[in-house]
Amino acid sequence: MKTILLIFVTFHFCTSIISGQTALIPKYEIGVNAGAIIYQGDLTPYALGSLNTMKPVFGFYGTRNLNSRHAIRLQIMRGWLKGDDAKYDIPSWRQQRNFNFKTPVTEISGLFVWNLIGLKPNEAGIINFSPYFFGGIGYSFLKIKRDWSRFNVAHFASQTTILNGLTEDINHDVPKGIIVFPVGAGVRYGINEKLSFTLEGSYRLTGTDHLDGFSKAANPNMNDHYYTLTAGLIYSFGKRNKFDCPVIRN
């Protein structure tokens, strides 16, 4: 009975470790991606953000796979954000308010990645399909340029809240950087043992309503955000050592 119990415990222990630390799972990965970055804030009427002013974004990251399901990732991203009231005819007052802004964005973030079904290489070592989720914290460096020069004062003459709000916004310094909380999901598909193709969407939660340089003259009750939609490639290298189960002796 002791031998049977030992075999059972050892088998359970080995299979648990192997399922999380398969020899075919790459230890390290680097990735590149590119796509669109989309501003979501006061200068767009759409819940999906300012699709009319989406800009390109590029990223580079390194990943350390802890096991088949979990990884940590360090990422650097570069893009440009823009918002412009003049891009929208409805509601008509946006053509009269005419606020706009633009800024480069350089984001550095640390992420925890959860592979939903685990990285499962086939016999050729190719990870055929793996969806994943991720979340973490980062910091975005900004250089915001806002413009209210086309603001129609006469149109808003009776709306003192907007006029006073604009004065307050003008006197408020724009942030040079903000803390962001990236959350998102993606899917990877193996091209060969070393390369995988990825599609990814990532939303950035922020704690500021001044990403676009305006708040009191717009909607001070909601913060500004942005998100990215990208495609990319992952290069895998380094492998874990095989787990050696102990020899059972009677």
Side-chain angles (χ1 to χ4, degrees):
M1 287 297 295
K2 289 182 179 180
T3 301
I4 294 174
L5 180 61
L6 181 59
I7 292 173
F8 174 79
V9 171
T10 303
F11 176 77
H12 177 75
F13 179 71
C14 290
T15 54
S16 298
I17 295 296
I18 291 173
S19 65
Q21 299 182 350
T22 306
L24 294 177
I25 299 301
K27 190 173 184 179
Y28 300 105
E29 295 177 327
I30 56 175
V32 293
N33 53 22
I37 183 170
I38 301 162
Y39 152 77
Q40 184 185 57
D42 302 328
L43 307 190
T44 174
Y46 300 134
L48 288 178
S50 185
L51 300 178
N52 291 3
T53 61
M54 68 172 64
K55 293 294 181 181
V57 67
F58 310 91
F60 174 81
Y61 57 88
T63 301
R64 170 67 159 87
N65 289 318
L66 304 176
N67 51 51
S68 67
R69 289 185 180 272
H70 308 115
I72 52 177
R73 174 167 142 181
L74 179 64
Q75 177 171 279
I76 299 175
M77 184 204 74
R78 175 73 173 183
W80 294 262
L81 287 172
K82 182 178 180 180
D84 190 348
D85 275 338
K87 296 291 184 180
Y88 306 100
D89 296 325
I90 300 174
S92 60
W93 54 260
R94 287 190 179 273
Q95 294 287 321
Q96 305 301 322
R97 191 175 70 173
N98 265 319
F99 291 161
N100 69 84
F101 91 103
K102 59 183 178 180
T103 181
V105 180
T106 302
E107 177 189 290
I108 301 175
S109 58
L111 306 172
F112 179 79
V113 182
W114 174 46
N115 296 296
L116 184 61
I117 60 175
L119 302 179
K120 297 180 179 180
N122 59 21
E123 293 181 356
I126 301 173
I127 300 171
N128 285 332
F129 173 82
S130 181
Y132 57 91
F133 297 97
F134 57 87
I137 187 171
Y139 191 84
S140 290
F141 297 91
L142 308 169
K143 192 175 181 180
I144 300 169
K145 293 182 178 180
R146 57 185 172 177
D147 182 9
W148 61 90
S149 63
R150 296 176 294 170
F151 179 73
N152 188 342
V153 177
H155 183 82
F156 296 96
S158 62
Q159 301 184 42
T160 56
T161 300
I162 294 179
L163 296 176
N164 293 336
L166 179 57
T167 300
E168 189 172 342
D169 286 339
I170 293 172
N171 293 325
H172 188 285
D173 292 335
V174 294
K176 295 181 179 179
I178 58 173
I179 295 174
V180 295
F181 299 92
V183 293
V187 62
R188 63 185 286 172
Y189 188 87
I191 300 172
N192 54 42
E193 186 180 1
K194 296 292 185 180
L195 285 177
S196 295
F197 174 76
T198 65
L199 291 173
E200 192 172 287
S202 181
Y203 191 80
R204 271 71 170 188
L205 299 166
T206 78
T208 183
D209 189 33
H210 287 90
L211 177 62
D212 49 28
F214 301 97
S215 176
K216 299 299 183 180
N219 184 359
N221 297 320
M222 294 186 67
N223 288 336
D224 302 323
H225 308 286
Y226 63 93
Y227 64 96
T228 57
L229 301 172
T230 60
L233 292 172
I234 294 176
Y235 176 75
S236 304
F237 60 98
K239 293 183 179 179
R240 295 180 180 274
N241 295 325
K242 291 184 178 180
F243 179 80
D244 294 324
C245 295
V247 177
I248 300 174
R249 301 183 183 279
N250 191 349

